[in-house]
């Protein structure tokens, strides 16, 4: 009965205002800071490749994979950007981001919610809302982590957009120092 995570809602659209990844500070939408038509100008054949696949719904487990590499600028040369999701017993959600690219990138993970998350040890954060609790455990080693209020520009009032706080966000940064895997013994890497 309580929200634990959510995006910023209405107003102008920016990728970092959602529970997703930024790559080198670049987001998923073609027209950042646009209240509407953020995908305008992107070819439909590219938009069609952004999809949900490997979906499965059982009595205790739900799963799916978001195929997202074509949502990001082609200049990033992302060969794979997949978000794998599995929910067990309606209580435990595992999110695994799988990324590969031909060059190194800075990746930033965002988690938004109504309540401010508190750090509880290396790579672990807790956010509580009413009787509900969200625990985020990073399985990697974040290069940087910070929690801040999320300030968005809303257009719910007459006149120009106004800044408004819409909860808090946790921002985790990581660096991929190399592109695709390399092999020091090519004869063992064939195939």
């Amino acid at each position: 009965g309580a929200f634990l995570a959510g995006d910023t809602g209405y107003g102008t659209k920016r990728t970092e205002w959602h529970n997703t990844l930024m790559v080198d500070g670049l987001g998923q939408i073609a027209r950042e800071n646009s209240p509407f038509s953020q995908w305008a100008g992107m070819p439909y054949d590219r938009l069609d490749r952004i999809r949900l696949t490997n979906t499965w719904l059982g009595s205790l487990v739900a799963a799916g994979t978001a195929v997202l590499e074509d949502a990001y600028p082609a200049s990033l040369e992302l060969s794979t950007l997949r978000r794998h999701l599995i929910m067990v017993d309606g209580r435990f959600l595992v999110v695994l981001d799988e990324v590969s690219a031909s060059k190194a990138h800075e990746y930033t993970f965002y988690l938004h919610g109504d309540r401010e998350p508190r750090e509880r040890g290396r790579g672990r954060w807790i956010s509580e809302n009413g009787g509900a609790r969200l625990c985020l455990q990073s399985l990697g080693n974040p290069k940087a982590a910070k929690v801040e209020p999320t300030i968005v520009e809303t257009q719910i009032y007459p006149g120009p957009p106004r800044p408004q706080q819409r909860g808090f966000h946790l921002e985790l940064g990581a660096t991929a120092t190399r592109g695709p895997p390399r092999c020091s013994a090519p004869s063992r890497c064939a195939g």
Side-chain angles (χ1 to χ4, degrees):
F3 284 103
L4 292 171
D7 64 20
T8 59
Y10 46 83
T12 56
K13 304 300 180 197
R14 292 176 56 180
T15 300
E16 69 263 25
W17 291 345
H18 301 275
N19 299 313
T20 191
L21 289 176
M22 298 284 285
V23 181
D24 293 342
L26 299 175
Q28 293 180 4
I29 57 181
R31 293 176 57 213
E32 295 276 354
N33 295 314
S34 170
F36 304 104
S37 304
Q38 58 269 25
W39 296 102
M42 187 175 261
Y44 278 107
D45 64 329
R46 188 159 178 201
L47 287 170
D48 287 344
R49 292 190 300 262
I50 304 166
R51 64 194 184 283
L52 192 60
T53 186
N54 299 328
T55 57
W56 191 72
L57 179 61
S59 60
L60 291 176
V61 177
T65 299
V67 179
L68 300 169
E69 54 267 13
D70 284 300
Y72 291 83
S75 62
L76 295 171
E77 299 177 27
L78 298 171
S79 50
T80 304
L81 199 155
R82 310 286 164 93
R83 175 160 279 186
H84 304 282
L85 304 158
I86 184 167
M87 180 168 270
V88 179
D89 197 25
R91 297 182 56 209
F92 304 100
L93 176 65
V94 177
V95 178
L96 172 66
D97 290 323
E98 172 190 3
V99 184
S100 63
S102 61
K103 56 186 177 181
H105 292 292
E106 295 280 333
Y107 297 97
T108 308
F109 168 89
Y110 287 89
L111 176 67
H112 291 267
D114 292 341
R115 303 287 184 245
E116 184 174 3
R118 307 277 184 209
E119 190 169 3
R120 297 287 189 255
R122 182 122 176 96
R124 185 180 180 96
W125 290 266
I126 304 289
S127 181
E128 296 177 308
N129 191 3
R133 174 184 290 176
L134 179 145
C135 173
L136 183 137
Q137 176 67 57
S138 174
L139 300 178
N141 190 11
K143 173 182 155 186
K146 63 182 173 180
V147 174
E148 295 181 329
T150 302
I151 308 296
V152 300
E153 289 185 9
T154 60
Q155 294 184 312
I156 59 172
Y157 308 103
R162 296 181 190 179
Q164 180 183 23
Q165 181 175 347
R166 297 283 294 162
F168 296 86
H169 65 271
L170 169 63
E171 181 179 325
L172 300 178
T175 303
T177 56
R178 61 188 175 103
R182 298 192 180 126
C183 185
S184 59
S187 62
R188 287 190 237 158
C189 297

